[in-house]
Amino acid sequence: MQRFEYSKDRETANAARARALEALLIEKGVITSDTVDKIMAIFATEMGPFNGAKLVAKAWVDPAFKQLLAEDTMAAVEKMNFVTKGAGAEGEHMRAAINTPEVHNLIICTLCSCYPWPVLGLPPYWYKDPSFRARAPESTQRIRPEHRPLQGDQNLGQ
Amino acid sequence: MNPFDYFKFRYYEKWLGGISAYFIANGYITQAELDARTKAFLASSPTMPTGGDSAVDARVRKYLLIGDDPKRPRSAPPRFASGDAVCVANPKSVDHTRLPGHLRNKTGIIDSVYPDAYTYLCDTGPDGIGEAMPVYCVRFDPEALWPGNTEKNFTFYADLFEAYLEPAIAS
C-alpha cells in the first residue's frame, strides 16, 4: 500500500517544483519569463471550452451547420472564428458525436493524453485517472454522476 | 514508467515528472538543481528570473495554434472496409501503445474507415505503429468485452490503427 500513498503536501510540493522548473528554464534560456504566462493566457482566452460551447450553440440554432458538424467536423470548425481555425494542437482532426434524445455519447481516452484542446482546453485531471478510465468503458453507472453523459430529461439538445 | 507510479500520480503530476525528466536527461538542468530550487520555492517565494528570447514564445504560440498534423496520404489502400469482422491483435507490450488492453484478442466490426493515413509520435517497435497507416472506427459488443458485467443497450467504439487488426476467422 505504501507505493500508492500520497504525501499530504502534494499540491504545495508540486506547485513549488513547477515554479522551480520554470525559474531554471528561464535562467538557462530555454524559455522566457513570459512563456508560461502566455501559454496560460492562450488556454484562458483562445483555446478552451468557450469555443466548444459556441460550436454547440450554433448547431442548436442552425440545422445545416449541425449536419456539417456531424459529417465533416473540421469543416464546421473552420467556419467559426476561432484563432486555431481548422487546426490547433491536439485538435487537428476532431470528430463530433451528436447526441439525440435516444442516443447519448460518452467520449473517453483510455490510453494517453488525447483531448480536443482547441474546443475544450486542457482536460480535468479526473478524465485521465486510471479509475475513471477503467470504469467508464464498462458502465456509466460506475462513474460519478457528474461525469456521466446526459440522462433523460437532462437532455439539453434540440 | 514504473506501473505503480503510473497509478499513483495524477495526470498533471505525470506531466511535471515527464517534462522535468526530459530536461534532466537531455542536460538542460540537473536533478540537484531542481531539488534545491524546489526547496527554495517551498521555503519562500523567490522572484522569478527575467529575460529570454521572445522568438521562443512565438514558436510555442505557433505550435499551439497550428498543432502537429499526423495525417498523411495513403501508400496503399486500406486493408478493411466497413462491415468487415476483425480480430484485435495481441502484440508485445511496450512503453507507448494505442491499443487498449481490454480489446486484445477481441472481435469487432469495422464501423468506418477514416480518410487518409495517420502516423504515431514514435515507432513502437513490436507494438506495430509509427509509420502512416489507415485508422478505423471499430464497433464492439460490450457483452463480448466484459461478459455479464456491463450495462445494457450501449455500443462500444474504438479508433484503432490498422496494425492492430487482423481478419476475424469465421467460426
Side-chain angles (χ1 to χ4, degrees):
Chain A
M1 285 302 290
Q2 206 171 4
R3 289 232 47 156
F4 294 101
E5 279 175 10
Y6 300 120
S7 63
K8 288 192 172 64
D9 66 342
R10 69 191 297 176
E11 297 287 346
T12 313
N14 283 319
R17 195 170 171 213
R19 298 286 281 168
L21 181 61
E22 181 185 357
L24 286 170
L25 294 180
I26 294 168
E27 285 175 6
K28 311 274 182 184
V30 177
I31 62 173
T32 79
S33 41
D34 295 328
T35 307
V36 172
D37 290 341
K38 285 186 172 176
I39 292 171
M40 301 284 277
I42 288 172
F43 282 109
T45 62
E46 296 180 291
M47 292 173 71
F50 33 84
N51 287 339
K54 286 175 189 162
L55 271 176
V56 172
K58 187 167 172 61
W60 280 344
V61 298
D62 184 342
F65 182 82
K66 183 176 178 178
Q67 190 176 348
L68 182 65
L69 186 64
E71 293 172 357
D72 187 350
T73 302
M74 296 312 291
V77 171
E78 275 192 58
K79 285 179 175 286
M80 305 298 289
N81 199 26
F82 301 155
V83 68
T84 49
K85 305 297 179 193
E90 300 292 313
E92 296 91 345
H93 301 285
M94 297 182 286
R95 176 185 174 190
I98 309 286
N99 285 350
T100 70
E102 291 79 29
V103 177
H104 293 164
N105 299 280
L106 175 68
I107 313 293
I108 54 174
C109 169
T110 56
L111 288 167
C112 62
S113 302
C114 306
Y115 200 74
W117 292 0
V119 295
L120 290 182
L122 295 172
Y125 85 84
W126 57 260
Y127 189 75
K128 305 292 182 181
D129 255 17
S131 56
F132 174 80
R133 291 174 166 191
R135 290 171 186 156
E138 297 175 18
S139 169
T140 57
Q141 299 304 312
R142 288 180 206 149
I143 58 178
R144 295 170 61 169
E146 61 268 35
H147 301 161
R148 291 174 195 160
L150 296 172
Q151 305 285 328
D153 58 4
Q154 288 179 285
N155 193 346
L156 301 173
Q158 291 186 347
Chain B
M1 189 175 194
N2 182 302
F4 289 102
D5 288 344
Y6 183 84
F7 286 102
K8 176 177 176 176
F9 293 120
R10 287 177 178 167
Y11 181 58
Y12 292 106
E13 289 175 330
K14 289 173 191 155
W15 273 34
L16 181 57
I19 294 167
S20 301
Y22 172 86
F23 284 114
I24 291 166
N26 287 279
Y28 291 97
I29 61 172
T30 66
Q31 183 70 54
E33 278 179 316
L34 183 57
D35 290 345
R37 195 62 68 92
T38 302
K39 270 187 189 165
F41 273 95
L42 275 172
S44 64
S45 295
T47 308
M48 272 287 168
T50 56
D53 180 355
S54 62
V56 171
D57 296 343
R59 272 166 52 204
V60 170
R61 180 175 175 81
K62 187 179 175 192
Y63 164 69
L64 287 173
L65 267 46
I66 293 175
D68 185 9
D69 190 348
K71 192 150 104 167
R72 304 283 185 274
R74 278 186 190 140
S75 56
R79 191 177 176 194
F80 304 104
S82 295
D84 285 355
V86 290
C87 184
V88 179
N90 186 23
K92 181 174 160 50
S93 294
V94 293
D95 284 352
H96 284 277
T97 184
R98 291 296 303 133
L99 176 57
H102 55 264
L103 298 179
R104 289 170 181 264
N105 295 318
K106 304 294 184 185
T107 300
I109 304 292
I110 302 287
D111 191 74
S112 58
V113 186
Y114 289 106
D116 302 301
Y118 290 83
T119 58
Y120 184 61
L121 62 89
C122 62
D123 183 335
T124 64
D127 177 73
I129 62 171
E131 292 293 314
M133 65 181 73
V135 174
Y136 302 87
C137 179
V138 186
R139 186 172 70 242
F140 294 89
D141 176 1
E143 189 57 32
L145 302 181
W146 303 285
N149 197 31
T150 66
E151 281 173 31
K152 301 297 177 198
N153 199 27
F154 85 103
T155 305
F156 188 88
Y157 299 88
D159 290 349
L160 295 171
F161 280 100
E162 188 170 84
Y164 296 140
L165 303 175
E166 296 291 338
I169 297 161
S171 53

